[in-house]
Amino acid sequence: PAMRIAHVGIGANLGDARGSVQAAWQVLGELPGSVAVACSSFYRTAPVDATGPDFINAVAALDTTLTPLALLAGLQAIELRFGRERPYRNAPRTLDLDLLTLGEQVLDTPVLTLPHPRLHLRAFTLVPLAELAPALVLPGLGRVDALLAGVSDQAIVRLDV
């Protein structure tokens, strides 16, 4: 299968959130048929539709040959390795990995929607994605950098390395 670029949102707000985001970035390159190629800066954001401490967020870019569902399964396995529990929707989390894009793939199934259906509505995914791929066109939505104005009212703070 051909290599495609996948963008993965990384977030955490429990325990050593910053350490978990950093470690997750390292582990993403261990997925079969995948190479971790870039990671955005880290950002601090308040929870959206959730409770708990602020999140540390980033976006990673991977070159991968995995299918969308195989990549999703790999991301969920990594979450479990980091102690992710899902006691209720939008619960605080030790690690959250969201498949944001996979090449130009458009998918709408009960299990997975690509591009991620709320990607363009959330500064915590859109701002770090714009750092990596400002000219990326999200099918049906437009260029990532052009979508930033729509989240400009959301507080997001870029952290020093």
Side-chain angles (χ1 to χ4, degrees), residues 12-161:
N13 75 333
L14 290 179
D16 177 10
R18 191 175 185 143
S20 293
V21 171
Q22 179 65 43
W25 153 241
Q26 302 297 330
V27 172
L28 286 171
E30 299 172 11
L31 289 167
S34 302
V35 177
V37 293
C39 188
S40 72
S41 301
F42 289 8
Y43 294 84
R44 178 180 306 279
T45 60
V48 175
D49 299 328
T51 59
D54 284 354
F55 274 85
I56 304 299
N57 293 102
V59 168
L62 309 176
D63 281 338
T64 188
T65 59
L66 292 174
T67 65
L69 293 178
L71 182 51
L72 178 65
L75 296 176
Q76 290 174 340
I78 292 170
E79 289 177 339
L80 288 175
R81 279 173 54 188
F82 280 76
R84 170 78 188 261
E85 296 177 358
R86 298 172 189 267
Y88 53 90
R89 183 173 165 79
N90 296 326
R93 52 208 73 159
T94 53
L95 183 65
D96 186 28
L97 298 174
D98 286 330
L99 182 53
L100 303 176
T101 69
L102 180 57
E104 297 179 2
Q105 180 89 45
V106 175
L107 192 65
D108 188 3
T109 73
V111 177
L112 179 62
T113 301
L114 288 173
H116 190 286
R118 291 172 300 285
L119 163 59
H120 65 293
L121 302 175
R122 297 174 166 171
F124 69 82
T125 52
L126 200 57
V127 171
L129 179 59
E131 186 181 315
L132 294 181
L136 179 68
V137 175
L138 300 176
L141 297 171
R143 277 176 56 121
V144 168
D145 55 4
L147 295 169
L148 288 171
V151 298
S152 62
D153 61 331
Q154 297 176 32
I156 182 166
V157 177
R158 183 175 173 176
L159 301 176
D160 293 329
V161 177

